Amino acid sequence: DAGVTQSPTHLIKTRGQQVTLRCSPKSGHDTVSWYQQALGQGPQFIFQYYEEEERQRGNFPDRFSGHQFPNYSSELNVNALLLGDSALYLCASSSGRRNNYGYTFGSGTRLTVV
Amino acid sequence: AQSVTQLGSHVSVSEGALVLLRCNYSSSVPPYLFWYVQYPNQGLQLLLKYTTGATLVKGINGFEAEFKKSETSFHLTKPSAHMSDAAEYFCAVTTGASGGSYIPTFGRGTSLIVHP
């Protein structure tokens, strides 16, 4: 049973460019959350998607946007990249909006902005 | 609002010694608490969780944690460290939140170093 799959695993972009990261949730999960993990820090919540809608959002600018598809997979888009956007981006899936039983995380996409 | 404080960014132990990683939380309502482990270049893996009921929670790989409401703590322990336990450990808390969604807040992490 495949867990959470993220692509690509590594990415290098130039400041000002745009990037799209992809995530396929664990089988049976319908909710996808995205986190940004800077080096040496804990994951910071970006937003969560459920039923193809953004249900909750963390303290991130509008440059960060996302989408969820009917098959529950999700994309994270970041526009006008800044050097400070360099981080590990983690996708986590869960079942239902009111999930209290922990998330299943992917291995992440390492984004480097130069 | 909810928050998590992990005391000590690095903890170093000898193989076979007791592991103790500290986590204190802040929450105005009863919390749900989690410990995750992250190995290098990997995502987070759930170790254990407390939701309701028994306050001593057992997880994978021999880890356990105890919810102490009076101390607002959820410390992670393991009686005997193995080399393979070397990793980053994150404590997380959720509460009933706006939007009807339970979004975990993570601590900054504690790096566990195990010496032979």
Side-chain angles (χ1 to χ4, degrees):
Chain A
D1 178 27
V4 177
T5 304
Q6 291 188 243
S7 63
T9 55
H10 294 82
L11 202 54
I12 300 175
K13 288 288 189 178
T14 302
R15 189 173 44 184
Q17 285 189 316
Q18 178 266 344
V19 68
T20 297
L21 311 182
R22 296 177 175 82
C23 172
S24 292
K26 180 180 178 179
S27 178
H29 286 182
D30 56 8
T31 303
V32 173
S33 303
W34 286 93
Y35 283 81
Q36 181 193 66
Q37 186 180 17
L39 200 61
Q41 303 293 319
Q44 297 294 313
F45 173 69
I46 303 175
F47 42 54
Q48 181 181 83
Y49 276 84
Y50 174 73
E51 292 186 339
E52 301 181 49
E53 293 187 4
E54 182 182 294
R55 286 297 182 175
Q56 199 156 344
R57 188 179 183 92
N59 188 26
F60 278 80
D62 292 345
R63 298 187 297 108
F64 289 77
S65 64
H67 189 78
Q68 186 179 35
F69 300 93
N71 66 353
Y72 309 121
S73 67
S74 177
E75 289 182 348
L76 163 65
N77 301 292
V78 186
N79 295 321
L81 285 166
L82 304 174
L83 296 179
D85 294 332
S86 295
L88 181 67
Y89 287 84
L90 295 167
C91 173
S93 73
S94 55
S95 180
R97 290 169 54 192
R98 288 178 175 265
N99 171 58
N100 292 326
Y101 301 105
Y103 289 176
T104 300
F105 281 85
S107 295
T109 294
R110 173 72 64 185
L111 172 65
T112 303
V113 182
V114 298
Chain B
Q2 60 199 40
S3 66
V4 169
T5 301
Q6 291 185 238
L7 298 176
S9 59
H10 294 83
V11 170
S12 181
V13 300
S14 298
E15 191 173 20
L18 171 71
V19 175
L20 171 61
L21 304 183
R22 300 177 186 274
C23 172
N24 288 90
Y25 68 90
S26 174
S27 171
S28 58
V29 298
Y32 294 157
L33 295 157
F34 305 83
W35 276 99
Y36 287 85
V37 61
Q38 184 177 34
Y39 297 101
N41 300 313
Q42 295 189 25
L44 279 67
Q45 179 184 5
L46 182 64
L47 270 179
L48 50 78
K49 58 183 180 286
Y50 167 80
T51 53
T52 58
T55 57
L56 181 62
V57 179
K58 296 186 183 299
I60 62 172
N61 301 338
F63 284 94
E64 62 182 35
E66 185 171 10
F67 170 58
K68 293 186 176 181
K69 183 179 178 180
S70 61
E71 298 178 7
T72 61
S73 69
F74 190 58
H75 301 331
L76 181 70
T77 61
K78 182 174 180 178
S80 177
H82 295 164
M83 296 296 291
S84 60
D85 294 327
E88 193 80 15
Y89 291 80
F90 293 94
C91 181
V93 61
T94 72
T95 61
S98 61
S101 203
Y102 291 73
I103 306 298
T105 298
F106 287 85
R108 296 185 65 170
T110 297
S111 178
L112 177 63
I113 302 163
V114 182
H115 297 287

